């Protein structure tokens, strides 16, 4: 499994765009990149998943460069309710359905008024 | 559609007691797993199952047992609770659309 590295914490203000970058230098050919969000006292929640280039959904965008050794989760115009821990996971989720997810400490995002 | 349901939500045990944390999913996923999360930490994999009748150990399996008799259910058993097992436990069910987590069981062992 590819090891991931992401910042431990970030601060932002309401209405700003937040970009969280994850490094995964050892990503394998079959690996996908998936981001989860976790609020206090809740289980992680799927945000977005991608393989290459750019993926966008109603919540976020995921940017993946051609070498796939990093990825950036972009949250547009954050609000106080986006305060949470964000996890970057890398693995063969399509064929192996996420066997052996490895969660690091994640990035603790604090959105300030 | 309930997704992943965990019971109980809270539990206090005395050292040495045993108990079972229940997990059920209604998405017909083959893959299910149990994690524990200690304060300020990420999730650590305890046990997982790739289908009924098949289980395997994760990163921190000691002190826990699992079984998978049906696709829907994946209970986690604490054999003899210890204070070091005080944690929040999450069950997850995974398919091609990603992993879905339950709301967690907050366990305190005194």
């Amino acid at each position: 499994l590819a090891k991931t590295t992401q910042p431990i914490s970030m601060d932002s203000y309401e209405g700003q765009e937040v970009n969280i970058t994850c490094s995964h230098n050892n990503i394998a050919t079959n690996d996908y990149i998936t981001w989860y969000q976790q609020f206090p006292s809740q289980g992680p929640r799927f945000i977005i998943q991608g393989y290459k280039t750019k993926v966008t959904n109603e919540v976020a965008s995921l940017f993946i460069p051609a070498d796939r050794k990093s990825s950036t989760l972009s949250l547009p115009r954050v609000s106080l309710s986006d305060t949470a821990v964000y996890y970057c996971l890398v693995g063969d989720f399509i064929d192996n359905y996420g066997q052996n997810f490895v969660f690091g400490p994640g990035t603790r995002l604090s959105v300030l008024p | 559609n309930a997704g992943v349901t965990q019971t109980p939500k809270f539990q206090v045990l005395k050292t040495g007691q045993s108990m079972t944390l229940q997990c059920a999913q209604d998405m017909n996923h083959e893959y299910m797993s149990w994690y524990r999360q200690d304060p300020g930490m990420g999730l650590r994999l305890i046990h997982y199952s790739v289908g009924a009748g098949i289980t395997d150990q994760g990163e921190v399996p000691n002190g826990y047992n699992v079984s998978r008799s049906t696709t829907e259910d994946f209970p986690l058993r604490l054999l003899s609770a210890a204070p070091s097992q005080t944690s929040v436990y999450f069950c997850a069910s995974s398919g091609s659309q990603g992993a879905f987590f339950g709301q967690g069981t907050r366990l305190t062992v005194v």
Side-chain angles (χ1 to χ4, degrees):
Chain A
L1 287 174
K3 178 178 166 58
T4 61
T5 303
Q6 51 183 122
I8 292 297
S9 65
M10 295 181 68
D11 291 336
S12 181
Y13 290 96
E14 280 192 292
Q16 289 187 330
E17 178 184 76
V18 170
N19 296 311
I20 306 175
T21 297
C22 178
S23 297
H24 29 80
N25 291 320
N26 297 323
I27 189 169
T29 302
N30 292 337
D31 286 346
Y32 280 70
I33 300 151
T34 308
W35 285 81
Y36 285 83
Q37 175 192 56
Q38 185 179 27
F39 297 114
S41 301
Q42 294 188 24
R45 182 175 73 104
F46 173 91
I47 300 177
I48 197 166
Q49 182 180 88
Y51 184 82
K52 63 180 179 181
T53 63
K54 176 183 174 182
V55 179
T56 297
N57 62 21
E58 65 277 7
V59 176
S61 295
L62 179 60
F63 298 92
I64 306 168
D67 66 5
R68 304 200 326 122
K69 293 184 183 300
S70 67
S71 58
T72 299
L73 174 73
S74 181
L75 304 172
R77 299 179 298 281
V78 294
S79 64
L80 296 177
S81 63
D82 292 315
T83 293
V85 178
Y86 293 81
Y87 297 98
C88 166
L89 277 71
V90 173
D92 186 359
F93 302 119
I94 302 304
D95 290 334
N96 290 327
Y97 297 155
Q99 290 182 25
N100 299 335
F101 281 123
V102 177
F103 283 82
T107 297
R108 188 172 299 274
L109 173 66
S110 298
V111 180
L112 308 172
Chain B
N1 189 340
V4 179
T5 303
Q6 286 184 239
T7 56
K9 287 186 170 56
F10 301 94
Q11 182 70 48
V12 178
L13 288 179
K14 293 183 179 178
T15 297
Q17 285 185 317
S18 63
M19 80 158 294
T20 299
L21 279 62
Q22 302 291 343
C23 176
Q25 55 97 1
D26 61 1
M27 295 172 282
N28 202 33
H29 288 161
E30 292 294 329
Y31 183 79
M32 297 183 73
S33 50
W34 277 101
Y35 294 83
R36 61 176 287 174
Q37 185 173 35
D38 299 318
M41 306 286 287
L43 285 74
R44 291 186 292 170
L45 182 66
I46 305 172
H47 284 284
Y48 65 96
S49 168
V50 299
I54 307 170
T55 64
D56 207 344
Q57 296 180 350
E59 179 188 357
V60 288
N62 293 340
Y64 307 95
N65 271 357
V66 292
S67 60
R68 185 91 179 273
S69 56
T70 67
T71 299
E72 293 77 20
D73 301 299
F74 190 42
L76 177 72
R77 280 182 286 278
L78 278 72
L79 309 173
S80 177
S84 61
Q85 293 179 304
T86 293
S87 189
V88 180
Y89 291 83
F90 290 101
C91 176
S93 172
S94 302
S96 59
Q97 300 301 312
F100 297 85
F101 288 81
Q103 290 299 299
T105 295
R106 185 174 296 274
L107 175 68
T108 302
V109 182
V110 298

